[in-house]
Each structure stands twice: as C-alpha cells, then as structure tokens.
Amino acid sequence: MPPPNADLATTWAYLEEGVDHIMTKLQTGVSYSKYMSLYTVSYNYCTSSKMHGAGDQAGGMGHRTGANLMGSDLYNNLIRYFVNHLKALRQHSDALQDEALLRYYAQEWDRYTTGANYINRLFTYLNRHWVKRERDEGRKGVYPVYTLALVQWKSNFFLHVQSKDSKLAGAILRLIERQRNGETIDQGLVKKVVDSFVSLGLDESDINKVSYEVYREHLETPFLDATEKYYQQESKAFLSENSVADYLKKAEERLREEEDRVERYMNTNTRKALIQKCEHVLIREHAELMWESFQGLLDYDKDEDLQRMYALLSRIPEGLEPLRKRFEDHVKRAGLAAVAKLVGEGGAAAEVDPKAYVDALLDVHQKNSETVTRSFRGEAGFVASLDKACREFVNRNAATGTSTTKSPELLAKHADALLRKNNKMAEEEDLEGALNKVMILFKYIDDKDVFQSFYTTKLSKRLIHGVSASDEAEASMISKLKEACGFEYTNKLQRMFTDMSLSKDLTDNFKERMQQNHDDMDITFSIMVLGTNFWPLNPPAHDFIIPQDILPTYNRFSQYYQQKHSGRKLTWLWNYSKNELRTNYLNQKYILMTSSWQMAVLLQYNNNDTLSLDELSTATAISKDILKQVLAAPVKAKILINDEADQYDLNPNFKSKKIRINLNMPIKAEQKAESTDVLKTVDEDRKYVIQATIVRIMKARKTMKNQALIQEVIQQISQRFTPKIPDIKKAIDHLLEKEYIERVEGTRDTFAYVA
C-alpha cells in the first residue's frame, strides 16, 4: 500500500489494479482489508494536497487548488480505465447477433453495474468533495463515479452496438415478434436489457431524476412502430379469412397480451402509448366493419359477441355512438313489428285487446332492456337509446294510427282490468309486479293527462260498483303514479277514496236516524255522495220519474242531507245507481240485479201484466231508443216476453238455475260516450293547464318574448302532455283578452305580466 504522500503514478497503479479486480473478477471476492486499503489510498491521495504547499502548483491554473488537481487527476484516470475496459467488450460484441448478443449484453451489464457500484463507494471522498464542488460551480460533464460509469457505458458501448442498424433494440423487437407468433422466449432476459435502456437515461439538470430519453428514442418508438405494422398485417389477414365475431375474440386476446407484456418486461410508462396504438390498429381501423355487423349480432341474440363488441368499441372515442343509433332503430323496428303483428290487417281501426297490446309492448321492452344490462353493462347512452325507441313505438304504432290518445287509453284499460275483482292475472301472478310493468310503459307515454283521465274514469266505476281487487292494490298504484308525476297528478284519485269512506259513514248515520224515526223502511239502502270536482261522472242526459216504491227513501235522505249540509246541492246519478229486486209472483223467489232504469221498468209490472213501449216510456220518462236497450236484458233472460213489436209481457212461467240474476249490462251508447267524454275533458283541462302555466311563467319573469315564452311552456308541460303550438298561441290571445298579460309598447312580440 503506497504511503499517504505517494505521487499520482504510484497511487493510481495501486488503485487501478484494485479497480480492475472489482470490475472483472468480483466473483473471486475481495477481502475486507484489501477493500479498506483501496478506500484509504483514494482518501489519502485526495487529502494529501493539504500537506504539499499548494502555491507552486497554482501557476497557470488560476484559482484551482492542489486538492482540486488531485481530484481531477483521479477522475481522469477513472475515465481512461472505463474507456479501455469497454473497448474490449465492444470488440467481443461485434460478432454477436440477436439472442446471443442480448445474453452477452445482459451478463456484462450485470457485471459492470455491480462493479461500478463498489467503485462508487471506494471513491466516496472524491464524490463528496471534488465532484460536488465541480458540479456546484456549474461544470458540465462531471458526475459521481457510478453515474460516470453509466455515461461511459452509454457512449463507449451502448451507442456503438446500437449504431449498427439498432442491433440491440432490433434483437429485442425480434424476440417480441417471436413471442407474438406464439413462441416462448426468455422474458427475464428481455426485461434486464429493457431496464438498462431506462438506467442509461440521464437528466443533466438533476442526475438523481429518472430520465426516459434513451428508452424512448432507442426502444419505445421503434417498438410502437413495429407493433403497429405487426397488427395491421395480422388483422387484415385474419379478417380476410374469418368472421367479425371471431375477430372480436382475437382483438380482445391481443389487447390482453399487450397489457400483460407491459407488466412483464416493458417499462410501465409505455402502457398508455402502446394500448392507444393497439386500439387504433385493432379497433378504430376496423370500426366500420364492426358497426356494420352489429345488426346481425342483435338479430341472432349473440350476447357474448355483443359484450365483446361493446367492450372493444367503448375504448375508442365515438366508438359507441353508431351502435347506440343502430340499437335505437332496432328496438323501434321490433316494437312497431310486434304491434303490427297484433293488429293484423285491420290497422288502427281494428279493436285491440288492451292486455295483448300491453304485453306486446312490454315483451319488446324487456328483451331489449336485458340486452342493455347484459351486453352493454347498463351504459347510460344505450339506456337513453332504449328509452327513445320505446317512447317512439309506444306512442305511435299500427294500433294508434295518427291518434296520440290511443296508447294511454289502452294502458289505462289494462290497468283497470288488473285492478278488478275476479281478475285471473291477479290470481295467477303477482299483481304488484303487473302494476310495476304498467308503470314501465307509463313512463314512455307522451300524453300522461289522457292516461290520468281514463284511469280516473275507470277507477270511479270500480269504486262505485265495488269491484276493486283490493284497497292495497289501488293505493299501491296511486302511490306509483304519485312518485312518477307528483302530488297534483293523483290528488283527485286520493279524494275519491276519501269520498268513499265518508259515504260509508253517512249511510250508517242515515240508517241509524231512520231506525229511530221511521219503522216502515223495508228497503236496504246505501248511498255514495261524491264531490263533483273529483269524480268524472255525468248526470243522466234525460228525465227520470222516480218510482213510488223508492220515493219515501229518496225524500228522507234529501231532507237529512240538507239539514246536515245546508247549501250543498245533490245531483242524483240514476245512470250509475244499481238495485236488487225480489220476485214475489213465482213459486221460486229470485233476486234480479238491475240498473235504476230496469228497476223503474220492472216495478211497472206490479200493477200490469202487459205494457207497450209507449206506456213504459210515459211511466218512466226514459226515451224509447234507450228504453229498448234497457229492455233487451230482461227479454233475453225471459223475464219479459216480447212476442209482438213494442209489446212487453211479464213471463208468469219464468225459470232459472241461478237464484241471483244479473240484468245490469252497460248500455252501448254510454260506453261509446265514455271515450268521447274523456277526450273532451282532456281537451278542456289542457286549455286551463296551458293558461295557468303561461300566467305562472309571466308572473315570475315579468316580461318575455313570444318565442321564449312558447319554449318555456312546452318545457314545463311536456311531463304531462306535448302541447301544440297553436293551442299555446290561442291561450296567449285569450290571456291578452282577459288582461292577465299585455303587449309591451313599441314591440311586436314581447309580453308583460299585468299585476
């Protein structure tokens, strides 16, 4: 070991021998004492200048002290050593190719970086003082010893190998291509070489920071180019021989492999660029083809393929939009076809069974809704396409023709059938589930006010005739409607139930009073008093002479009610009332269930055995054409005999297997009138809704332009129905007339609110 004040030649000779041993024969080991003595010699040399007088050396070097010179001498000798060492490696590598080159490179890289690590520690003092000071003073090209070793490797070995047709990167890319072709390769070897590319990056401004410049320039860029080329050729060849469905599997597999490749041996920073490149080549370049084959997959319910196509196209921007559009058209076509099949030749004029109609629409919705959930992961865009298509075919189809009210009417009739007693559907399947399905279609109905009117009419009939399946089911349906459309929508419906329970109490109280005051009441009587504003019921269109038999009860109740509620006017709805009559003229006693009109007719036979149509009409004040329909049921049941024209005789030999006989059939004219009345009511209500909306908007805004006002009205009302622009204009004119709003002076189309 040289003495502490030994000169450079002696010192370096000793150090070089140690450095070379560490760099080339480290596997044979280095004793602790040898390592320490090398460290000491390096330390002594760097500090020895303090013992020499520095003055004689400073000539011509300006401000650089002896310690500085000592450091730079050692540093320059290290550079020379690395250059010579790498020269030998370079010569050896020239003859190598592909995998052999990679193995040699990786082995030498391992040996070199391990050795450089030890040497870095030997020269700790040099790094800490001389290198630090040089760098602090802004000298470029001076690095800590380990970084210096990497810089030398890059310039004297790495760039030399790469300069010959990117020999090193080329070898890696050829191995990767072999792996893509299905061969097994040494991934650990590839990873080691790839990692060296990253290690060789150097950020001059901060040498401790990782820099990817070498990796990007020498490996990532050519790797991405090679990937693009490879998959362009492969996908083109594959599609020329296979179906799109098979290609989807292939593309999915390849994308997975590339993700995996980044995990195994590429740098993670490459992931984004690599996946984008693959998505571009494998998906975007063939997107047209996928879009075109989408319809076929839908037609044949190819769930797995649809899932794959969705997953792939969702990876590229705008990849799904054409699918959503095609899906919307597909659902719309399916819905229209289902209704057309149901309607058959008759078109919109044909009578459609509400249940069959609703089931046809629901089948299409359910099938496609499952497709959205299963194949398109419930993605919002596809849900919107489904909704748009359903809204289209639910409101406009072969059964509705040009009418916008047909669908809500059929849906309300179906709901009515569900909620009635003796409904087989309610028994067979869960009624709650069936009502939920009604709500699915209700969501798509444009004219919700038409549904509301029909539903209210049907509900009133169910309640009056006591044919509701259950109060729970009725309440459940109302709460569903309330949830969908708000309190105002169901307010009337809830008031109808309130009236029913109040009527029950009223009947009980009346009976109690009558028992106290009159013992002669042999008629069982119950009454419903219903608020005109909430019940869609029309009083009879013609006069009616109240039969003597019920007149006392009629008068007593009217009197009782007036005492209880003075100022209220009772309108008797004979057309909705029903009665039970007992026969006393036959051996067997029968109970006849009748309408009020039939009751009035049959009671005439208490005093007569035969009556003409004219006599009956005079006795009851019912018009002849209605009377004929009223008499049809008793004649059919053979209670009355109609052998001669317009002559009706009581049948003294009447017999029936049933004790209770229902004669109360709806009159056709009334049934037809129901639909017309409902639609008339809807039109009236709409006028008021539009006017009220305009006033509400104007009150809030004070002034508004015509066009903006119309748009705002449409927006606010469209939840209930789609208002027609001429109707809105009429409403504006009406409000101008009534002076709720006025035109702003000097303008043609601006309105102001009149407080």
Side-chain angles (χ1 to χ4, degrees):
M1 181 171 143
N5 57 356
D7 62 357
L8 175 66
T10 315
T11 304
W12 179 247
Y14 182 78
L15 283 173
E16 185 173 24
E17 186 264 326
V19 166
D20 192 52
H21 181 87
I22 289 169
M23 289 299 286
T24 56
K25 308 187 191 75
L26 190 61
Q27 68 278 17
T28 62
V30 178
S31 70
Y32 181 69
S33 56
K34 173 79 172 167
Y35 189 79
M36 281 314 295
S37 60
L38 285 167
Y39 183 90
T40 308
V41 169
S42 148
Y43 173 81
N44 285 345
Y45 186 75
C46 287
T47 55
S48 64
S49 61
K50 288 165 190 166
M51 296 165 194
H52 308 315
D56 58 332
Q57 293 178 338
M61 292 299 287
H63 66 281
R64 301 187 71 181
T65 63
N68 270 335
L69 283 173
M70 299 290 180
S72 71
D73 288 338
L74 275 185
Y75 189 80
N76 290 331
N77 277 323
L78 270 172
I79 291 176
R80 274 195 290 279
Y81 171 78
F82 285 137
V83 171
N84 289 328
H85 175 75
L86 290 164
K87 201 175 187 178
L89 301 189
R90 210 159 65 211
Q91 286 162 353
H92 192 271
S93 73
D94 283 348
L96 300 173
Q97 289 287 346
D98 291 345
E99 207 168 336
L101 172 67
L102 293 179
R103 288 198 186 288
Y104 177 70
Y105 179 91
Q107 167 197 321
E108 289 305 326
W109 169 258
D110 264 357
R111 195 201 311 260
Y112 184 82
T113 48
T114 312
N117 228 324
Y118 281 108
I119 291 165
N120 188 48
R121 279 180 249 159
L122 277 186
F123 291 97
T124 300
Y125 192 83
L126 183 72
N127 284 342
R128 207 176 288 154
H129 295 279
W130 183 79
V131 172
K132 184 176 184 305
R133 198 176 316 126
E134 293 285 305
R135 288 192 68 77
D136 287 350
E137 288 174 9
R139 289 210 175 73
K140 294 268 186 270
V142 175
Y143 310 102
V145 172
Y146 183 73
T147 308
L148 173 71
L150 295 182
V151 169
Q152 294 306 321
W153 174 277
K154 178 184 163 188
S155 52
N156 290 293
F157 183 50
F158 174 79
L159 290 175
H160 168 79
V161 179
Q162 270 293 83
S163 65
K164 301 184 175 176
D165 300 333
S166 303
K167 202 158 131 185
L168 197 60
I172 296 173
L173 297 180
R174 281 190 288 280
L175 266 190
I176 292 173
E177 185 170 337
R178 279 169 53 191
Q179 189 182 33
R180 281 178 177 147
N181 291 335
E183 294 180 40
T184 308
I185 64 164
D186 183 347
Q187 297 183 116
L189 171 65
V190 177
K191 180 162 179 54
K192 208 169 271 179
V193 180
V194 169
D195 286 349
S196 80
F197 280 68
V198 178
S199 303
L200 292 175
L202 182 68
D203 186 339
E204 287 289 352
S205 59
D206 180 359
I207 54 173
N208 294 317
K209 227 165 102 186
V210 183
S211 163
Y212 294 101
E213 47 156 0
V214 174
Y215 172 75
R216 287 222 169 88
E217 182 191 338
H218 291 277
L219 183 61
E220 187 181 82
T221 307
F223 167 67
L224 293 174
D225 292 344
T227 301
E228 181 173 26
K229 213 184 241 164
Y230 181 86
Y231 284 130
Q232 269 172 343
Q233 288 170 351
E234 182 186 71
S235 55
K236 202 171 170 189
F238 189 88
L239 276 165
S240 66
E241 294 172 12
N242 297 279
S243 69
V244 172
D246 290 335
Y247 177 72
L248 296 172
K249 281 183 205 157
K250 182 79 174 167
E252 193 178 53
E253 210 175 279
R254 283 306 201 185
L255 283 161
R256 254 201 314 270
E257 281 173 24
E258 294 305 320
E259 292 262 8
D260 194 40
R261 193 175 321 289
V262 176
E263 290 297 320
R264 291 182 185 280
Y265 51 74
M266 294 304 285
N267 185 271
T268 48
N269 287 326
T270 303
R271 167 183 270 106
K272 195 176 173 195
L274 171 64
I275 297 306
Q276 277 179 348
K277 183 72 77 180
C278 292
E279 285 170 352
H280 182 82
V281 178
L282 294 171
I283 305 170
R284 187 185 281 282
E285 289 188 357
H286 303 290
E288 287 280 346
L289 208 54
M290 293 188 203
W291 293 333
E292 281 162 24
S293 64
F294 178 65
Q295 188 59 51
L297 301 182
L298 277 177
D299 292 342
Y300 294 104
D301 298 326
K302 300 278 190 192
D303 263 345
E304 277 184 28
D305 294 333
L306 286 170
Q307 284 170 27
R308 259 189 215 104
M309 185 177 285
Y310 169 80
L312 290 173
L313 287 168
S314 65
R315 300 172 74 133
I316 62 169
E318 304 308 315
L320 293 177
E321 199 41 51
L323 294 194
R324 293 188 194 112
K325 191 77 201 77
R326 283 174 163 82
F327 179 65
E328 185 188 320
D329 293 342
H330 169 77
V331 177
K332 192 168 137 188
R333 277 199 306 274
L336 293 174
V339 179
K341 186 179 171 190
L342 179 73
V343 171
E345 301 296 310
E351 197 56 45
V352 181
D353 171 40
K355 181 182 183 320
Y357 178 74
V358 169
D359 286 348
L361 297 180
L362 279 170
D363 287 346
V364 175
H365 175 273
Q366 191 181 349
K367 182 179 182 221
N368 290 290
S369 181
E370 282 168 7
T371 302
V372 170
T373 311
R374 228 178 17 235
S375 303
F376 311 134
R377 299 179 196 163
E379 192 260 350
F382 281 96
V383 173
S385 293
L386 173 69
D387 288 348
K388 206 169 161 196
C390 290
R391 190 163 286 116
E392 193 60 42
F393 73 71
V394 165
N395 290 294
R396 285 166 286 281
N397 53 50
T400 65
T402 53
S403 160
T404 58
T405 58
K406 189 76 173 170
S407 249
E409 179 183 346
L410 288 167
L411 186 61
K413 283 180 176 171
H414 174 66
D416 176 52
L418 286 176
L419 290 163
R420 279 176 174 269
K421 267 183 195 163
N422 311 327
N423 160 33
K424 283 179 188 164
M425 275 181 277
E427 292 159 23
E428 285 166 18
E429 57 177 303
D430 160 34
L431 180 57
E432 186 66 15
L435 294 178
N436 284 335
K437 286 179 178 173
V438 169
M439 291 310 294
I440 289 175
L441 293 186
F442 175 76
K443 179 176 87 172
Y444 297 123
I445 294 283
D446 279 345
D447 293 352
K448 291 185 169 56
D449 57 340
V450 175
F451 176 89
Q452 181 192 25
S453 295
F454 275 106
Y455 187 84
T456 310
T457 306
K458 297 289 182 191
L459 172 64
S460 67
K461 301 282 173 60
R462 288 200 297 280
L463 294 179
I464 290 170
H465 301 311
V467 293
S468 268
S470 76
D471 285 353
E472 291 81 25
E474 293 285 4
S476 166
M477 186 63 187
I478 288 177
S479 80
K480 290 182 206 304
L481 291 169
K482 187 174 177 181
E483 201 178 307
C485 295
F487 168 75
E488 203 183 312
Y489 192 86
T490 56
N491 189 18
K492 276 187 183 178
L493 307 178
Q494 282 167 323
R495 283 300 299 264
M496 288 161 78
F497 281 93
T498 311
D499 282 354
M500 290 303 289
S501 72
L502 290 174
S503 296
K504 194 172 178 299
D505 297 343
L506 190 66
T507 301
D508 294 344
N509 295 341
F510 174 65
K511 278 183 184 166
E512 229 169 84
R513 170 74 66 87
M514 290 303 108
Q515 276 163 358
Q516 290 162 11
N517 301 352
H518 305 275
D519 294 333
D520 61 341
M521 266 196 65
D522 63 340
I523 293 177
T524 311
F525 170 82
S526 69
I527 187 89
M528 294 176 202
V529 178
L530 313 174
T532 317
N533 291 342
F534 309 115
W535 291 75
L537 306 172
N538 297 319
H542 47 74
D543 294 335
F544 177 56
I545 297 169
I546 300 164
Q548 286 300 320
D549 307 61
I550 63 167
L551 204 53
T553 310
Y554 168 82
N555 289 330
R556 282 170 193 167
F557 182 79
S558 298
Q559 203 177 346
Y560 167 75
Y561 192 78
Q562 287 309 326
Q563 285 169 357
K564 205 172 166 64
H565 303 283
S566 64
R568 286 194 189 175
K569 179 175 180 285
L570 283 178
T571 305
W572 290 76
L573 303 175
W574 298 109
N575 43 340
Y576 294 105
S577 306
K578 51 183 188 173
N579 314 265
E580 288 187 0
L581 303 177
R582 196 166 52 239
T583 60
N584 293 323
Y585 68 99
L586 301 162
N587 296 333
Q588 170 72 53
K589 290 196 172 177
Y590 295 103
I591 291 172
L592 309 178
M593 293 180 281
T594 65
S595 68
S596 292
W597 312 143
Q598 289 168 333
M599 178 258 307
V601 166
L602 291 172
L603 287 177
Q604 303 304 317
Y605 289 91
N606 278 339
N607 307 319
N608 305 281
D609 287 339
T610 177
L611 287 160
S612 69
L613 191 64
D614 288 338
E615 287 166 333
L616 285 171
S617 183
T618 309
T620 60
I622 301 170
S623 65
K624 288 182 188 176
D625 52 340
I626 297 283
L627 205 50
K628 279 182 180 172
Q629 289 191 54
V630 168
L631 288 160
V635 168
K636 193 178 176 189
K638 301 205 168 100
I639 292 165
L640 296 178
I641 299 167
N642 173 219
D643 286 341
E644 297 168 48
D646 296 348
Q647 195 67 30
Y648 295 88
D649 308 337
L650 189 66
N651 180 5
N653 306 316
F654 174 74
K655 273 188 182 151
S656 169
K657 287 178 184 172
K658 292 178 180 172
I659 300 297
R660 292 174 68 83
I661 298 156
N662 184 15
L663 303 175
N664 191 358
M665 299 300 169
I667 291 175
K668 274 181 189 155
E670 284 179 9
Q671 273 182 306
K672 239 183 207 152
E674 181 188 284
S675 285
T676 320
D677 288 349
V678 168
L679 297 177
K680 211 181 279 172
T681 314
V682 168
D683 282 343
E684 280 306 306
D685 287 351
R686 282 185 177 182
K687 279 181 200 165
Y688 297 128
V689 169
I690 294 172
Q691 287 172 21
T693 308
I694 294 170
V695 171
R696 198 167 52 238
I697 293 167
M698 291 303 297
K699 192 174 182 181
R701 301 287 181 84
K702 299 299 181 258
T703 62
M704 218 172 174
K705 280 194 177 303
N706 181 42
Q707 199 52 41
L709 178 60
I710 290 174
Q711 287 310 316
E712 184 71 20
V713 170
I714 292 172
Q715 194 186 336
Q716 287 198 19
I717 298 180
S718 58
Q719 284 300 309
R720 281 185 64 125
F721 63 91
T722 309
K724 298 185 178 81
I725 290 177
D727 292 346
I728 300 175
K729 287 181 174 170
K730 263 185 213 161
I732 292 173
D733 291 342
H734 179 77
L735 292 170
L736 283 167
E737 223 171 274
K738 296 279 181 189
E739 296 183 357
Y740 281 97
I741 57 175
E742 62 186 9
R743 289 188 194 276
V744 174
E745 273 185 49
T747 63
R748 277 188 57 221
D749 65 344
T750 306
F751 303 112
Y753 178 68
V754 180

